[in-house]
Amino acid sequence: MNRDPHLNELGEFLKARRAELTPSDVGLRGGQRRRVSGLRREEVALLAAISTEYYTRIEQGRLQASVPLLNEIARALRLNADQRTYLVELAAKERVRPATADRQQVDTQLQRMLDDLAATPAFVIGRRTDILGWNQLAAALWTDFGRYPEPERVFVRLLFTEPWMRALYADWEEVTRLAIAQLRMESARYPDDQRLNALVEELCVRDAQFRQWWTEHDVAMRGKGVKKLRHPVVGELTLDWNTLSCGTDPDQHIIVWNAEPGSPSHDGLRLLASWAADQRSPTASDTVK
């Protein structure tokens, strides 16, 4: 019998999460010495108030669990909000998944808004971490994304294939792990997205680190944070980033970057904006039609 690949992924996700916990984390005694780290299946089943056999069938991808039961398992495994969302996405049954266009595009009004943010680097990222649009300051902070063919204009791919991306991010591993976690979240929503699946397959073959981090099954929504960059023109920058959703396509997210007013990083962005104006870097509107 062919099993639902989504249920298989759900099982692997649960297995990865219980491996991160110890009995003391969830208020249980450790008992005898363990051959492997993490909780046992019977311990998760005990905490979720179900039989070990029932939980085992869920983790093996042989059983479709109800949302209330998944909530109990999520509570037992101490899942955070993003992980709970992923769990429900994976287990959704008889649900019509949204139809998706193979190619996402930034509309004219959104690109115009990006271009008007002269002092703020911003770009639009799609569900596969495609870079769909950007402004002049984003081109100066990262690169002119237009010089990459569209299939290669993918943020998570550039993190692994471009040495300048590794050099730019002082916290490259943290940035890359987050990008992978966000990509895995999207893969649960769009399991039939062939381009997304092909991207994952390519990077798994190409890079052992990607393969390792992908199999850890970490997930995350796009939100906000702080990143440290080492820019070749203006030096070190500490920038806040935040995510805005696009009203015409909820799978497009506008990532906006700024610095605390009066800080050296704020001055650095202003200097970079001046440098970018002199360079006349093209924006996405010049290259994405």
Side-chain angles (χ1 to χ4, degrees):
M1 179 179 67
N2 292 328
R3 295 177 183 170
D4 185 336
H6 246 46
L7 295 185
N8 287 339
E9 168 59 21
L10 183 147
E12 291 299 316
F13 175 72
L14 293 177
K15 189 185 302 182
R17 299 290 75 79
R18 71 178 171 87
E20 295 174 337
L21 297 171
T22 65
S24 61
D25 291 333
V26 295
L28 298 175
R29 289 190 174 184
Q32 60 186 5
R33 180 177 297 179
R34 295 166 181 252
R35 288 179 296 176
V36 295
S37 60
L39 295 179
R40 298 190 177 103
R41 286 173 175 166
E42 56 265 31
E43 291 169 331
V44 178
L46 174 65
L47 292 167
I50 57 176
S51 71
T52 300
E53 180 184 1
Y54 200 80
Y55 176 77
T56 298
R57 292 174 66 193
I58 295 172
E59 196 174 279
Q60 290 177 342
R62 296 188 290 124
L63 182 67
Q64 174 76 66
S66 66
V67 171
L69 178 54
L70 289 174
N71 287 335
E72 288 302 308
I73 294 173
R75 179 188 56 79
L77 291 174
R78 305 296 196 267
L79 300 189
N80 62 32
D82 289 355
Q83 291 168 337
R84 286 172 180 260
T85 298
Y86 185 68
L87 194 65
V88 173
E89 289 281 358
L90 286 174
K93 60 181 179 180
E94 297 180 1
R95 185 187 64 159
V96 178
R97 297 190 180 275
T100 61
D102 184 60
R103 183 172 183 261
Q104 292 178 282
Q105 290 182 283
V106 169
D107 65 34
T108 302
Q109 289 181 327
L110 179 53
Q111 184 59 56
R112 189 184 304 138
M113 184 194 77
L114 293 178
D115 293 339
D116 284 344
L117 297 174
T120 303
F123 58 76
V124 179
I125 195 167
R127 62 177 174 272
R128 309 176 190 100
T129 75
D130 319 63
I131 303 296
L132 304 175
W134 59 94
N135 62 10
Q136 182 172 264
L137 193 49
L141 187 57
W142 285 274
T143 189
D144 169 21
F145 294 108
R147 67 190 179 93
Y148 292 93
E150 189 175 315
E152 299 176 15
R153 200 184 301 152
V154 179
F155 189 78
V156 70
R157 189 179 190 278
L158 294 174
L159 283 167
F160 282 97
T161 61
E162 295 300 308
W164 62 263
M165 283 284 264
R166 292 177 182 259
L168 178 65
Y169 284 104
D171 49 356
W172 177 85
E173 180 175 335
E174 178 186 334
V175 170
T176 305
R177 281 177 171 270
L178 178 59
I180 292 172
Q182 292 168 343
L183 186 66
R184 185 172 277 284
M185 182 71 82
E186 293 299 317
S187 73
R189 297 188 64 215
Y190 300 106
D192 300 321
D193 188 322
Q194 294 182 356
R195 286 181 59 188
L196 191 155
N197 294 333
L199 171 66
V200 171
E201 290 176 7
E202 175 203 347
L203 291 176
C204 280
V205 171
R206 182 173 193 144
D207 195 284
Q209 270 190 314
F210 178 91
R211 185 167 60 251
Q212 175 190 339
W213 293 339
W214 182 258
T215 56
E216 290 177 4
H217 298 269
D218 289 331
V219 294
M221 303 286 283
R222 292 197 177 99
K224 63 180 182 178
V226 180
K227 298 300 179 194
K228 295 183 182 298
L229 290 83
R230 298 171 297 207
H231 195 272
V233 174
V234 296
E236 294 188 3
L237 298 170
T238 300
L239 301 180
D240 300 322
W241 63 274
N242 211 325
T243 304
L244 307 175
S245 294
C246 176
T248 56
D249 182 354
D251 290 332
Q252 292 186 29
H253 293 98
I254 308 157
I255 313 298
V256 181
W257 300 71
N258 56 55
E260 183 180 352
S263 67
S265 294
H266 186 259
D267 293 340
L269 277 184
R270 294 177 65 183
L271 178 60
L272 186 61
S274 177
W275 177 85
D278 291 340
Q279 298 295 309
R280 297 182 181 275
S281 300
T283 65
S285 58
D286 299 318
T287 54
V288 181
K289 303 298 183 183

